[in-house]
Amino acid sequence: QVQLVESGGGLVQAGGSLRLSCAASGRTFSNYAMGWFRQPPGKEREFVAAINWSSGNPYYADSVKGRFTISRDNAKNTVYLQMNSLKPEDTAVYYCSADRKKGVPRSYAGAYDYWGPGTQVTVSS
């Protein structure tokens, strides 16, 4: 089993920055990747970023490329999402996910076995 807990969400003005953290604990069978998803108000959950656990190779949704950076610390079992140049459109509940199996698209939420409770990010104009 894996437990995830996010931190770092909050209220920020447009153009500002936030860094989200997600600490994982517990035994994992497959730690192929960790990811970030978000769910804006009134919309479905959408892919934000993912990272290969062993290699550190990052992947991003087109909407956040050049603004967001995902990274990981293997020793701490922690993944980070540095969010710069934030826009009101980034307002959403952000969820950390873990333990995606190979062969499943990384942008598919159903590919991940574990999820954190989510953290609210609100960007004001």
Side-chain angles (χ1 to χ4, degrees):
Q1 60 180 329
V2 175
Q3 296 81 43
L4 305 175
V5 58
E6 303 101 335
S7 61
L11 176 65
V12 65
Q13 292 184 320
S17 299
L18 285 173
R19 190 180 77 155
L20 304 183
S21 299
C22 176
S25 61
R27 188 181 69 177
T28 60
F29 176 77
S30 178
N31 222 354
Y32 176 66
M34 296 183 70
W36 289 96
F37 288 75
R38 66 187 183 187
Q39 187 166 13
K43 297 183 179 180
E44 296 183 357
R45 190 187 304 170
E46 65 182 22
F47 172 74
V48 177
I51 187 167
N52 182 278
W53 191 248
S54 60
S55 70
N57 291 339
Y59 307 89
Y60 300 97
D62 289 341
S63 60
V64 305
K65 284 183 178 178
R67 299 189 299 121
F68 291 10
T69 302
I70 189 171
S71 61
R72 59 83 233 262
D73 187 328
N74 288 83
K76 297 181 179 179
N77 275 359
T78 300
V79 64
Y80 305 94
L81 186 68
Q82 178 66 46
M83 304 185 294
N84 298 327
S85 301
L86 283 163
K87 306 174 181 179
E89 306 90 83
D90 296 318
T91 295
V93 177
Y94 282 70
Y95 297 94
C96 176
S97 59
D99 210 13
R100 185 180 71 86
K101 293 183 177 180
K102 286 186 175 181
V104 183
R106 62 182 62 85
S107 61
Y108 176 50
Y112 297 85
D113 291 329
Y114 304 99
W115 295 84
T119 184
Q120 177 70 47
V121 172
T122 303
V123 184
S124 62
S125 300

